[in-house]
Structure formats: structure tokens, C-alpha cells
Amino acid sequence: MKIFLDTADIREIREAHSWGILDGVTTNPSLVAKEGKDFLDVVREICALVQGPVSAEVVSTTTDEMIREGKDIMRRVGAPNVVIKIPMIREGLRAIRALSSEGIRVNTTLIFTAPQALLAAKAGASFVSPFIGRLDDISHLGMDIVRDIRAIFDNYDFKCEILAASIRNPLHVVDAARLGADIATMPFSVLEAIIKHPLTDIGLQRFLKDWEKLPQQMRKG
Ligand code: E4P
């Protein structure tokens, strides 16, 4: 499963990238607004750092405007790894069809049901983003739709990738991987939480302490 960061914070992206495990980045208007920087500059900076797909979201809601905005982002960022994020609304489906027909990769965002994902894939989306955490928040099992989307895409051999989004904790990542999501996008805090385990830290301290017991001249082999 590929690991994406869900952030527009370049320091977090740089740090995760240095670990050698980062496959891509997703942003959204809320995350970009939090950074208080020029939107296209932020996307350019991320694209220069990360080789994999980088999602940048449109903020218009009519088909023509979404198409225009999507093409504008592609042209002005000028990086081959930009993916245009389009919301799962009626106007969005038309925009997905138009953009994907011109070879622009689209990530359909705000997916909350399996049939929404089916329509997005039929319209030509390269990625669908089911929002797991936000479904859990309202007492719906978010992972159930990942399972359903996986089964549907496999039944009909859709090439569209399942990008599990709104991931809130390491268990979400495990479930997404078990269910066959192609990608999980997560906040930096979740990525850090995955690394940490108290037994790893205790074990390392013990190994290092025991090593001290070996006389200096015997440590080099
Ligand atoms: C996905 O691409 C979205 O940016 C994101 O995962 C939303 O997550 P949230 O529900 O934590 O805001």
C-alpha cells in the first residue's frame, strides 16, 4: 500500500520524505489555508520535493469553472505529478470526464458511499478518496465502504486507485491495508504514531545498556 501525507506543511513533507517512505501528498483548501501561503507556490514546492502524485483541489462548483481551474492549476504549477482534486457532485462528474479525457489525472474527493466511487471511476477518475474518519465520526463504519469499493473495482477491473482518506489513527492504516486500499493518506501525526512503540524504545535502551557491559576492546570485532 502506498503512503501519502495529508498536509500542506512543507516541513512535515520534507521530514517524511527524508524517511524514504513517502509516495505522494494530498492537500485540500482547509490544509492550504492553514499554511497562509500562496496556493500555487505551496503546490509547486511540494511537487518539486515529492516524485509521486500531489493532489491540488479546485474551489469552484460549476463544471466549466472546475475544468478551467483544474487546467489552470496544471499549467501554472507546471509539474507532471499534479493531480486535480474534484468534489463528488453532479457538476464534478462532468468535470472529471472532461479533464480525464485530456489526460489530466483526477482525484475525486468527499466520497462517502461505494456507488459514489463507482460513478467517479466510470467518469474517468484516477483516484477516489473515501473519507473514513468523517464517517466514523457520525457512527458509520468508514472502512465498510473501502471494502465495498475494493470489491466493485475488482469485479469490473477499474484501474481507478482507492485512496483511503480522513485517516485518524494507525488502526485506520492497518484496516485500509488489510482491505486492499491502494493508498492511505494521513496527517503527519498519524505517521509519527505508527513509528512509535514503547516496547521498541525500551528494547533499544536495554540493548544499548547491555552493550556497555562488553569491554571496549571487544566491541569492534
Ligand atoms: C483527503 O484528501 C482529505 O484531505 C482529508 O483526508 C480529509 O481529512 P479530515 O477529515 O481529517 O479533514
Side-chain angles (χ1 to χ4, degrees):
M1 185 177 69
K2 285 173 264 189
I3 301 280
F4 284 15
L5 260 192
D6 194 30
T7 184
D9 183 335
I10 195 74
R11 284 159 309 171
E12 293 179 345
I13 296 167
R14 200 169 284 132
E15 176 66 15
H17 178 66
S18 76
W19 302 341
I21 47 85
L22 190 62
D23 298 303
V25 172
T26 50
T27 67
N28 65 39
S30 311
L31 293 169
V32 173
K34 219 164 71 182
E35 295 308 304
K37 295 184 193 162
D38 180 84
F39 169 49
L40 294 178
D41 283 347
V42 170
V43 179
R44 273 188 211 106
E45 204 175 352
I46 301 172
C47 286
L49 188 60
V50 177
Q51 271 89 54
V54 174
S55 290
E57 188 161 342
V58 301
V59 287
S60 40
T61 52
T62 65
T63 302
D64 288 349
E65 274 299 295
M66 281 190 260
I67 296 169
R68 191 201 54 72
E69 206 187 325
K71 286 183 181 174
D72 198 50
I73 294 171
M74 291 301 298
R75 186 178 54 79
R76 292 173 65 195
V77 171
N81 51 337
V82 187
V83 172
I84 301 301
K85 227 175 174 187
I86 301 280
M88 180 57 213
I89 55 177
R90 187 184 299 214
E91 296 78 3
L93 283 176
R94 297 190 197 107
I96 295 166
R97 169 58 64 209
L99 291 171
S100 63
S101 308
E102 293 192 28
I104 294 174
R105 287 184 297 169
V106 173
N107 172 4
T108 309
T109 190
L110 293 166
I111 296 269
F112 292 96
T113 69
Q116 283 184 321
L118 173 63
L119 289 193
K122 283 187 75 74
S126 299
F127 307 88
V128 286
S129 292
F131 275 40
I132 309 308
R134 293 193 195 186
L135 279 168
D136 286 357
D137 289 346
I138 57 159
S139 305
H140 283 256
L141 280 177
M143 282 300 161
D144 280 356
I145 72 161
V146 172
R147 184 183 292 108
D148 288 345
I149 298 169
R150 180 75 281 154
I152 292 167
F153 283 9
D154 289 350
N155 278 350
Y156 299 100
D157 208 19
F158 281 114
K159 298 297 172 233
C160 183
E161 293 190 69
I162 303 172
L163 198 168
S166 188
I167 294 277
R168 300 273 160 80
N169 55 57
L171 284 181
H172 275 159
V173 179
V174 173
D175 285 341
R178 277 189 21 235
L179 294 171
D182 300 286
I183 305 157
T185 189
M186 63 202 76
F188 186 71
S189 57
V190 173
L191 203 51
E192 278 185 312
I194 291 174
I195 297 172
K196 281 298 252 185
H197 196 286
L199 290 179
T200 304
D201 295 341
I202 291 168
L204 178 59
Q205 287 314 312
R206 197 174 294 160
F207 284 151
L208 295 179
K209 218 163 141 231
D210 289 345
W211 185 246
E212 294 296 318
K213 294 175 191 157
L214 190 67
Q216 187 77 34
Q217 66 276 16
M218 298 176 91
R219 290 186 203 169
K220 299 226 167 74

